[in-house]
Amino acid sequence: MTFEKATAQDTGMLTELRIAYLQEDLGEIEAADLKLIESLLPGYYEKHLNKDLMVYVARNEKDIVSCAFLLIVEKPMSPSFITGKTGTVLNVYTKPEYRKKGYAKKLMNMMLEDAKAENVSNIELKATEDGYSLYRSVGFEDVVAKYHNMRISL
């Protein structure tokens, strides 16, 4: 098993893994939405990969069997993120037949080391029940805040 950052040549496999992750997390995706995701994701990866999107992969030969994405955003500085750089973990996914072997944990540790080297102040994520213990094991903690987590869909 090889653990490394993804490259531009991986966009096809990363698209497949993203869709597998979304389908497992959200259930069935409408055909039109799935087609749109499949058509736009490769261009997104080409534009962002190894710039503000770091993707860590575990390879079995040439096949990517596990991945973890880190999206880095730079904001105006604050005491909460003193360097202005924050990260969001996305799409931690391991193919079912490769789970419970420590691959995602290895990728998360690689990610955290790189984020420290890049002066990222903090990293956040939303954990599923299945992923919760993994994230706790690498140092993530539950956040209790005076703010409400809100969003609007446009």
Side-chain angles (χ1 to χ4, degrees), residues 61-103:
E61 302 289 327
K62 293 184 178 189
D63 187 31
I64 297 175
V65 300
S66 185
C67 62
F69 294 15
L70 176 64
L71 180 64
I72 298 174
V73 176
E74 192 164 4
K75 307 173 185 178
M77 289 76 181
S78 156
S80 298
F81 38 90
I82 199 67
T83 66
K85 288 184 178 181
T86 64
T88 303
V89 174
L90 305 165
N91 210 104
V92 178
Y93 182 77
T94 302
K95 290 181 176 181
E97 62 271 26
Y98 292 93
R99 292 180 183 167
K100 304 291 184 195
K101 298 180 187 296
Y103 301 153

mmCIF file of all heavy atoms in Angstrom, residues 61-103:
data_model
loop_
_atom_site.group_PDB
_atom_site.id
_atom_site.type_symbol
_atom_site.label_atom_id
_atom_site.label_comp_id
_atom_site.label_asym_id
_atom_site.label_seq_id
_atom_site.Cartn_x
_atom_site.Cartn_y
_atom_site.Cartn_z
ATOM 1 N N GLU A 61 -1.510 -0.927 -5.633
ATOM 2 C CA GLU A 61 -1.034 -0.890 -7.019
ATOM 3 C C GLU A 61 -1.413 0.479 -7.595
ATOM 4 O O GLU A 61 -1.050 1.481 -7.041
ATOM 5 C CB GLU A 61 -1.610 -2.043 -7.846
ATOM 6 C CG GLU A 61 -1.288 -3.419 -7.302
ATOM 7 C CD GLU A 61 0.162 -3.830 -7.449
ATOM 8 O OE1 GLU A 61 0.803 -3.438 -8.447
ATOM 9 O OE2 GLU A 61 0.659 -4.528 -6.556
ATOM 10 N N LYS A 62 -2.234 0.514 -8.668
ATOM 11 C CA LYS A 62 -2.636 1.793 -9.260
ATOM 12 C C LYS A 62 -4.011 2.246 -8.783
ATOM 13 O O LYS A 62 -4.433 3.363 -9.055
ATOM 14 C CB LYS A 62 -2.624 1.692 -10.785
ATOM 15 C CG LYS A 62 -1.236 1.505 -11.348
ATOM 16 C CD LYS A 62 -1.241 1.507 -12.851
ATOM 17 C CE LYS A 62 0.175 1.360 -13.368
ATOM 18 N NZ LYS A 62 0.274 1.558 -14.799
ATOM 19 N N ASP A 63 -4.721 1.383 -8.078
ATOM 20 C CA ASP A 63 -6.092 1.664 -7.643
ATOM 21 C C ASP A 63 -6.088 2.454 -6.337
ATOM 22 O O ASP A 63 -5.449 2.053 -5.357
ATOM 23 C CB ASP A 63 -6.836 0.339 -7.453
ATOM 24 C CG ASP A 63 -8.305 0.527 -7.169
ATOM 25 O OD1 ASP A 63 -8.898 1.513 -7.654
ATOM 26 O OD2 ASP A 63 -8.878 -0.330 -6.464
ATOM 27 N N ILE A 64 -6.800 3.584 -6.303
ATOM 28 C CA ILE A 64 -6.965 4.343 -5.068
ATOM 29 C C ILE A 64 -8.074 3.670 -4.266
ATOM 30 O O ILE A 64 -9.204 3.533 -4.736
ATOM 31 C CB ILE A 64 -7.315 5.820 -5.351
ATOM 32 C CG1 ILE A 64 -6.171 6.504 -6.096
ATOM 33 C CG2 ILE A 64 -7.615 6.545 -4.039
ATOM 34 C CD1 ILE A 64 -6.464 7.932 -6.519
ATOM 35 N N VAL A 65 -7.742 3.245 -3.044
ATOM 36 C CA VAL A 65 -8.694 2.512 -2.218
ATOM 37 C C VAL A 65 -9.200 3.327 -1.034
ATOM 38 O O VAL A 65 -10.185 2.963 -0.400
ATOM 39 C CB VAL A 65 -8.107 1.169 -1.736
ATOM 40 C CG1 VAL A 65 -7.740 0.299 -2.930
ATOM 41 C CG2 VAL A 65 -6.908 1.379 -0.824
ATOM 42 N N SER A 66 -8.517 4.437 -0.741
ATOM 43 C CA SER A 66 -8.916 5.291 0.372
ATOM 44 C C SER A 66 -8.452 6.714 0.066
ATOM 45 O O SER A 66 -7.414 6.900 -0.586
ATOM 46 C CB SER A 66 -8.283 4.789 1.676
ATOM 47 O OG SER A 66 -8.735 5.519 2.789
ATOM 48 N N CYS A 67 -9.233 7.701 0.540
ATOM 49 C CA CYS A 67 -8.860 9.093 0.289
ATOM 50 C C CYS A 67 -9.362 9.978 1.420
ATOM 51 O O CYS A 67 -10.265 9.613 2.166
ATOM 52 C CB CYS A 67 -9.427 9.583 -1.048
ATOM 53 S SG CYS A 67 -11.224 9.570 -1.149
ATOM 54 N N ALA A 68 -8.741 11.147 1.518
ATOM 55 C CA ALA A 68 -9.159 12.178 2.471
ATOM 56 C C ALA A 68 -8.819 13.526 1.854
ATOM 57 O O ALA A 68 -7.714 13.716 1.356
ATOM 58 C CB ALA A 68 -8.439 12.012 3.805
ATOM 59 N N PHE A 69 -9.783 14.434 1.833
ATOM 60 C CA PHE A 69 -9.618 15.745 1.213
ATOM 61 C C PHE A 69 -9.480 16.812 2.299
ATOM 62 O O PHE A 69 -10.186 16.771 3.307
ATOM 63 C CB PHE A 69 -10.859 16.130 0.400
ATOM 64 C CG PHE A 69 -11.153 15.288 -0.807
ATOM 65 C CD1 PHE A 69 -10.572 14.054 -1.037
ATOM 66 C CD2 PHE A 69 -12.062 15.752 -1.736
ATOM 67 C CE1 PHE A 69 -10.875 13.305 -2.161
ATOM 68 C CE2 PHE A 69 -12.376 15.021 -2.868
ATOM 69 C CZ PHE A 69 -11.783 13.788 -3.086
ATOM 70 N N LEU A 70 -8.615 17.784 2.052
ATOM 71 C CA LEU A 70 -8.493 18.949 2.919
ATOM 72 C C LEU A 70 -8.605 20.197 2.060
ATOM 73 O O LEU A 70 -7.757 20.440 1.203
ATOM 74 C CB LEU A 70 -7.161 18.966 3.669
ATOM 75 C CG LEU A 70 -6.901 20.209 4.524
ATOM 76 C CD1 LEU A 70 -7.927 20.316 5.656
ATOM 77 C CD2 LEU A 70 -5.487 20.198 5.076
ATOM 78 N N LEU A 71 -9.646 20.970 2.281
ATOM 79 C CA LEU A 71 -9.841 22.242 1.592
ATOM 80 C C LEU A 71 -9.320 23.342 2.505
ATOM 81 O O LEU A 71 -9.776 23.492 3.641
ATOM 82 C CB LEU A 71 -11.325 22.469 1.290
ATOM 83 C CG LEU A 71 -11.672 23.761 0.559
ATOM 84 C CD1 LEU A 71 -11.049 23.781 -0.837
ATOM 85 C CD2 LEU A 71 -13.172 23.933 0.481
ATOM 86 N N ILE A 72 -8.344 24.108 2.017
ATOM 87 C CA ILE A 72 -7.740 25.184 2.806
ATOM 88 C C ILE A 72 -8.265 26.520 2.295
ATOM 89 O O ILE A 72 -8.247 26.779 1.094
ATOM 90 C CB ILE A 72 -6.201 25.141 2.720
ATOM 91 C CG1 ILE A 72 -5.692 23.823 3.307
ATOM 92 C CG2 ILE A 72 -5.595 26.337 3.449
ATOM 93 C CD1 ILE A 72 -4.204 23.606 3.136
ATOM 94 N N VAL A 73 -8.715 27.351 3.221
ATOM 95 C CA VAL A 73 -9.246 28.677 2.901
ATOM 96 C C VAL A 73 -8.471 29.697 3.714
ATOM 97 O O VAL A 73 -8.178 29.475 4.893
ATOM 98 C CB VAL A 73 -10.757 28.762 3.246
ATOM 99 C CG1 VAL A 73 -11.299 30.150 3.005
ATOM 100 C CG2 VAL A 73 -11.540 27.729 2.456
ATOM 101 N N GLU A 74 -8.155 30.815 3.091
ATOM 102 C CA GLU A 74 -7.491 31.895 3.816
ATOM 103 C C GLU A 74 -8.503 33.010 4.039
ATOM 104 O O GLU A 74 -9.142 33.474 3.103
ATOM 105 C CB GLU A 74 -6.273 32.413 3.048
ATOM 106 C CG GLU A 74 -5.410 33.309 3.887
ATOM 107 C CD GLU A 74 -4.025 33.536 3.302
ATOM 108 O OE1 GLU A 74 -3.744 33.057 2.195
ATOM 109 O OE2 GLU A 74 -3.230 34.207 3.971
ATOM 110 N N LYS A 75 -8.637 33.418 5.296
ATOM 111 C CA LYS A 75 -9.608 34.425 5.710
ATOM 112 C C LYS A 75 -8.864 35.573 6.397
ATOM 113 O O LYS A 75 -7.710 35.420 6.777
ATOM 114 C CB LYS A 75 -10.593 33.813 6.721
ATOM 115 C CG LYS A 75 -11.280 32.557 6.295
ATOM 116 C CD LYS A 75 -12.085 31.994 7.457
ATOM 117 C CE LYS A 75 -12.692 30.660 7.127
ATOM 118 N NZ LYS A 75 -13.428 30.097 8.264
ATOM 119 N N PRO A 76 -9.552 36.683 6.631
ATOM 120 C CA PRO A 76 -8.938 37.719 7.465
ATOM 121 C C PRO A 76 -8.655 37.131 8.855
ATOM 122 O O PRO A 76 -9.473 36.395 9.390
ATOM 123 C CB PRO A 76 -10.014 38.807 7.551
ATOM 124 C CG PRO A 76 -10.919 38.555 6.402
ATOM 125 C CD PRO A 76 -10.885 37.077 6.150
ATOM 126 N N MET A 77 -7.494 37.440 9.404
ATOM 127 C CA MET A 77 -7.073 36.845 10.666
ATOM 128 C C MET A 77 -8.032 37.164 11.805
ATOM 129 O O MET A 77 -8.720 38.165 11.792
ATOM 130 C CB MET A 77 -5.666 37.345 11.056
ATOM 131 C CG MET A 77 -4.571 36.802 10.188
ATOM 132 S SD MET A 77 -4.604 37.683 8.605
ATOM 133 C CE MET A 77 -3.296 36.880 7.750
ATOM 134 N N SER A 78 -8.019 36.282 12.780
ATOM 135 C CA SER A 78 -8.841 36.402 13.978
ATOM 136 C C SER A 78 -8.118 35.644 15.088
ATOM 137 O O SER A 78 -7.325 34.743 14.793
ATOM 138 C CB SER A 78 -10.207 35.764 13.702
ATOM 139 O OG SER A 78 -10.835 35.355 14.885
ATOM 140 N N PRO A 79 -8.379 35.956 16.348
ATOM 141 C CA PRO A 79 -7.779 35.132 17.400
ATOM 142 C C PRO A 79 -8.165 33.651 17.288
ATOM 143 O O PRO A 79 -7.421 32.785 17.721
ATOM 144 C CB PRO A 79 -8.333 35.746 18.696
ATOM 145 C CG PRO A 79 -8.579 37.172 18.329
ATOM 146 C CD PRO A 79 -9.065 37.126 16.897
ATOM 147 N N SER A 80 -9.301 33.365 16.667
ATOM 148 C CA SER A 80 -9.735 31.976 16.485
ATOM 149 C C SER A 80 -8.966 31.258 15.386
ATOM 150 O O SER A 80 -8.908 30.036 15.368
ATOM 151 C CB SER A 80 -11.225 31.925 16.149
ATOM 152 O OG SER A 80 -11.977 32.462 17.201
ATOM 153 N N PHE A 81 -8.430 32.002 14.430
ATOM 154 C CA PHE A 81 -7.597 31.433 13.353
ATOM 155 C C PHE A 81 -6.538 32.472 13.016
ATOM 156 O O PHE A 81 -6.610 33.193 12.050
ATOM 157 C CB PHE A 81 -8.418 30.999 12.128
ATOM 158 C CG PHE A 81 -9.559 31.889 11.762
ATOM 159 C CD1 PHE A 81 -9.382 32.946 10.878
ATOM 160 C CD2 PHE A 81 -10.818 31.668 12.287
ATOM 161 C CE1 PHE A 81 -10.439 33.772 10.528
ATOM 162 C CE2 PHE A 81 -11.884 32.485 11.943
ATOM 163 C CZ PHE A 81 -11.684 33.545 11.057
ATOM 164 N N ILE A 82 -5.514 32.487 13.861
ATOM 165 C CA ILE A 82 -4.534 33.563 13.892
ATOM 166 C C ILE A 82 -3.745 33.712 12.592
ATOM 167 O O ILE A 82 -3.346 34.814 12.227
ATOM 168 C CB ILE A 82 -3.603 33.420 15.132
ATOM 169 C CG1 ILE A 82 -2.908 34.731 15.442
ATOM 170 C CG2 ILE A 82 -2.632 32.269 14.964
ATOM 171 C CD1 ILE A 82 -3.813 35.830 15.918
ATOM 172 N N THR A 83 -3.521 32.645 11.864
ATOM 173 C CA THR A 83 -2.802 32.760 10.585
ATOM 174 C C THR A 83 -3.742 33.119 9.437
ATOM 175 O O THR A 83 -3.290 33.425 8.342
ATOM 176 C CB THR A 83 -2.099 31.441 10.206
ATOM 177 O OG1 THR A 83 -3.092 30.433 9.940
ATOM 178 C CG2 THR A 83 -1.135 30.995 11.292
ATOM 179 N N GLY A 84 -5.034 33.037 9.692
ATOM 180 C CA GLY A 84 -6.020 33.265 8.639
ATOM 181 C C GLY A 84 -6.324 32.020 7.834
ATOM 182 O O GLY A 84 -7.306 31.969 7.116
ATOM 183 N N LYS A 85 -5.497 30.993 7.956
ATOM 184 C CA LYS A 85 -5.708 29.750 7.196
ATOM 185 C C LYS A 85 -6.512 28.760 8.029
ATOM 186 O O LYS A 85 -6.136 28.435 9.159
ATOM 187 C CB LYS A 85 -4.376 29.111 6.823
ATOM 188 C CG LYS A 85 -3.609 29.845 5.765
ATOM 189 C CD LYS A 85 -2.352 29.054 5.414
ATOM 190 C CE LYS A 85 -1.552 29.705 4.331
ATOM 191 N NZ LYS A 85 -0.359 28.897 3.999
ATOM 192 N N THR A 86 -7.603 28.287 7.440
ATOM 193 C CA THR A 86 -8.407 27.254 8.077
ATOM 194 C C THR A 86 -8.608 26.118 7.087
ATOM 195 O O THR A 86 -8.486 26.297 5.872
ATOM 196 C CB THR A 86 -9.784 27.781 8.530
ATOM 197 O OG1 THR A 86 -10.540 28.171 7.388
ATOM 198 C CG2 THR A 86 -9.641 28.953 9.489
ATOM 199 N N GLY A 87 -8.914 24.971 7.609
ATOM 200 C CA GLY A 87 -9.134 23.816 6.755
ATOM 201 C C GLY A 87 -10.456 23.152 7.054
ATOM 202 O O GLY A 87 -10.970 23.234 8.172
ATOM 203 N N THR A 88 -10.987 22.508 6.044
ATOM 204 C CA THR A 88 -12.186 21.690 6.194
ATOM 205 C C THR A 88 -11.886 20.318 5.605
ATOM 206 O O THR A 88 -11.453 20.216 4.451
ATOM 207 C CB THR A 88 -13.388 22.317 5.465
ATOM 208 O OG1 THR A 88 -13.607 23.637 5.972
ATOM 209 C CG2 THR A 88 -14.649 21.481 5.663
ATOM 210 N N VAL A 89 -12.104 19.289 6.399
ATOM 211 C CA VAL A 89 -11.927 17.916 5.930
ATOM 212 C C VAL A 89 -13.203 17.496 5.216
ATOM 213 O O VAL A 89 -14.307 17.701 5.713
ATOM 214 C CB VAL A 89 -11.642 16.960 7.110
ATOM 215 C CG1 VAL A 89 -11.600 15.513 6.634
ATOM 216 C CG2 VAL A 89 -10.350 17.348 7.802
ATOM 217 N N LEU A 90 -13.009 16.915 4.043
ATOM 218 C CA LEU A 90 -14.119 16.430 3.229
ATOM 219 C C LEU A 90 -13.799 15.029 2.722
ATOM 220 O O LEU A 90 -12.634 14.671 2.554
ATOM 221 C CB LEU A 90 -14.330 17.344 2.009
ATOM 222 C CG LEU A 90 -14.541 18.831 2.270
ATOM 223 C CD1 LEU A 90 -14.361 19.618 0.980
ATOM 224 C CD2 LEU A 90 -15.925 19.047 2.840
ATOM 225 N N ASN A 91 -14.807 14.285 2.419
ATOM 226 C CA ASN A 91 -14.683 13.070 1.616
ATOM 227 C C ASN A 91 -13.647 12.074 2.137
ATOM 228 O O ASN A 91 -12.848 11.555 1.372
ATOM 229 C CB ASN A 91 -14.339 13.435 0.170
ATOM 230 C CG ASN A 91 -14.890 12.434 -0.829
ATOM 231 O OD1 ASN A 91 -15.864 12.725 -1.481
ATOM 232 N ND2 ASN A 91 -14.298 11.264 -0.957
ATOM 233 N N VAL A 92 -13.659 11.804 3.430
ATOM 234 C CA VAL A 92 -12.819 10.714 3.932
ATOM 235 C C VAL A 92 -13.580 9.439 3.598
ATOM 236 O O VAL A 92 -14.684 9.211 4.088
ATOM 237 C CB VAL A 92 -12.564 10.844 5.443
ATOM 238 C CG1 VAL A 92 -11.741 9.678 5.951
ATOM 239 C CG2 VAL A 92 -11.881 12.177 5.745
ATOM 240 N N TYR A 93 -12.992 8.644 2.725
ATOM 241 C CA TYR A 93 -13.702 7.473 2.212
ATOM 242 C C TYR A 93 -12.711 6.345 1.941
ATOM 243 O O TYR A 93 -11.637 6.567 1.383
ATOM 244 C CB TYR A 93 -14.438 7.826 0.915
ATOM 245 C CG TYR A 93 -15.232 6.677 0.342
ATOM 246 C CD1 TYR A 93 -16.447 6.311 0.896
ATOM 247 C CD2 TYR A 93 -14.750 5.943 -0.733
ATOM 248 C CE1 TYR A 93 -17.175 5.244 0.394
ATOM 249 C CE2 TYR A 93 -15.474 4.876 -1.250
ATOM 250 C CZ TYR A 93 -16.685 4.529 -0.680
ATOM 251 O OH TYR A 93 -17.398 3.465 -1.181
ATOM 252 N N THR A 94 -13.116 5.159 2.334
ATOM 253 C CA THR A 94 -12.354 3.950 2.043
ATOM 254 C C THR A 94 -13.312 2.944 1.417
ATOM 255 O O THR A 94 -14.431 2.749 1.916
ATOM 256 C CB THR A 94 -11.730 3.361 3.332
ATOM 257 O OG1 THR A 94 -10.886 4.359 3.925
ATOM 258 C CG2 THR A 94 -10.911 2.123 3.025
ATOM 259 N N LYS A 95 -12.879 2.334 0.334
ATOM 260 C CA LYS A 95 -13.706 1.304 -0.295
ATOM 261 C C LYS A 95 -14.013 0.224 0.740
ATOM 262 O O LYS A 95 -13.148 -0.135 1.552
ATOM 263 C CB LYS A 95 -12.984 0.701 -1.500
ATOM 264 C CG LYS A 95 -12.870 1.657 -2.669
ATOM 265 C CD LYS A 95 -12.173 1.002 -3.851
ATOM 266 C CE LYS A 95 -12.148 1.926 -5.056
ATOM 267 N NZ LYS A 95 -11.481 1.292 -6.220
ATOM 268 N N PRO A 96 -15.255 -0.292 0.731
ATOM 269 C CA PRO A 96 -15.682 -1.222 1.792
ATOM 270 C C PRO A 96 -14.727 -2.386 2.062
ATOM 271 O O PRO A 96 -14.468 -2.724 3.223
ATOM 272 C CB PRO A 96 -17.042 -1.718 1.290
ATOM 273 C CG PRO A 96 -17.560 -0.569 0.480
ATOM 274 C CD PRO A 96 -16.344 0.013 -0.201
ATOM 275 N N GLU A 97 -14.164 -2.982 1.037
ATOM 276 C CA GLU A 97 -13.305 -4.156 1.242
ATOM 277 C C GLU A 97 -11.944 -3.806 1.854
ATOM 278 O O GLU A 97 -11.188 -4.699 2.253
ATOM 279 C CB GLU A 97 -13.118 -4.927 -0.070
ATOM 280 C CG GLU A 97 -12.442 -4.154 -1.171
ATOM 281 C CD GLU A 97 -13.370 -3.353 -2.084
ATOM 282 O OE1 GLU A 97 -14.482 -2.955 -1.656
ATOM 283 O OE2 GLU A 97 -12.962 -3.104 -3.229
ATOM 284 N N TYR A 98 -11.629 -2.523 1.986
ATOM 285 C CA TYR A 98 -10.351 -2.084 2.555
ATOM 286 C C TYR A 98 -10.515 -1.399 3.916
ATOM 287 O O TYR A 98 -9.545 -0.884 4.462
ATOM 288 C CB TYR A 98 -9.649 -1.130 1.594
ATOM 289 C CG TYR A 98 -9.179 -1.809 0.329
ATOM 290 C CD1 TYR A 98 -9.991 -1.828 -0.801
ATOM 291 C CD2 TYR A 98 -7.943 -2.435 0.268
ATOM 292 C CE1 TYR A 98 -9.577 -2.462 -1.972
ATOM 293 C CE2 TYR A 98 -7.512 -3.068 -0.891
ATOM 294 C CZ TYR A 98 -8.334 -3.077 -2.000
ATOM 295 O OH TYR A 98 -7.915 -3.707 -3.144
ATOM 296 N N ARG A 99 -11.704 -1.397 4.455
ATOM 297 C CA ARG A 99 -11.959 -0.699 5.721
ATOM 298 C C ARG A 99 -11.395 -1.460 6.919
ATOM 299 O O ARG A 99 -11.135 -2.649 6.854
ATOM 300 C CB ARG A 99 -13.470 -0.479 5.891
ATOM 301 C CG ARG A 99 -13.977 0.514 4.880
ATOM 302 C CD ARG A 99 -15.449 0.782 4.987
ATOM 303 N NE ARG A 99 -15.829 1.703 3.919
ATOM 304 C CZ ARG A 99 -17.069 1.958 3.577
ATOM 305 N NH1 ARG A 99 -18.072 1.404 4.227
ATOM 306 N NH2 ARG A 99 -17.311 2.798 2.593
ATOM 307 N N LYS A 100 -11.214 -0.716 8.013
ATOM 308 C CA LYS A 100 -10.747 -1.251 9.301
ATOM 309 C C LYS A 100 -9.313 -1.763 9.219
ATOM 310 O O LYS A 100 -8.929 -2.678 9.930
ATOM 311 C CB LYS A 100 -11.681 -2.368 9.813
ATOM 312 C CG LYS A 100 -13.127 -1.965 9.939
ATOM 313 C CD LYS A 100 -13.333 -0.972 11.040
ATOM 314 C CE LYS A 100 -14.815 -0.661 11.191
ATOM 315 N NZ LYS A 100 -15.055 0.517 11.969
ATOM 316 N N LYS A 101 -8.511 -1.155 8.349
ATOM 317 C CA LYS A 101 -7.103 -1.526 8.219
ATOM 318 C C LYS A 101 -6.178 -0.358 8.581
ATOM 319 O O LYS A 101 -4.974 -0.464 8.455
ATOM 320 C CB LYS A 101 -6.809 -2.003 6.800
ATOM 321 C CG LYS A 101 -7.592 -3.254 6.407
ATOM 322 C CD LYS A 101 -7.267 -3.690 5.002
ATOM 323 C CE LYS A 101 -8.132 -4.806 4.510
ATOM 324 N NZ LYS A 101 -8.033 -6.053 5.204
ATOM 325 N N GLY A 102 -6.763 0.794 8.981
ATOM 326 C CA GLY A 102 -5.959 1.937 9.392
ATOM 327 C C GLY A 102 -5.560 2.877 8.268
ATOM 328 O O GLY A 102 -4.799 3.815 8.487
ATOM 329 N N TYR A 103 -6.070 2.659 7.061
ATOM 330 C CA TYR A 103 -5.686 3.499 5.926
ATOM 331 C C TYR A 103 -6.160 4.939 6.095
ATOM 332 O O TYR A 103 -5.392 5.881 5.867
ATOM 333 C CB TYR A 103 -6.211 2.935 4.605
ATOM 334 C CG TYR A 103 -5.727 1.539 4.284
ATOM 335 C CD1 TYR A 103 -6.476 0.704 3.485
ATOM 336 C CD2 TYR A 103 -4.519 1.052 4.778
ATOM 337 C CE1 TYR A 103 -6.045 -0.578 3.171
ATOM 338 C CE2 TYR A 103 -4.079 -0.222 4.483
ATOM 339 C CZ TYR A 103 -4.847 -1.036 3.672
ATOM 340 O OH TYR A 103 -4.410 -2.302 3.371
#
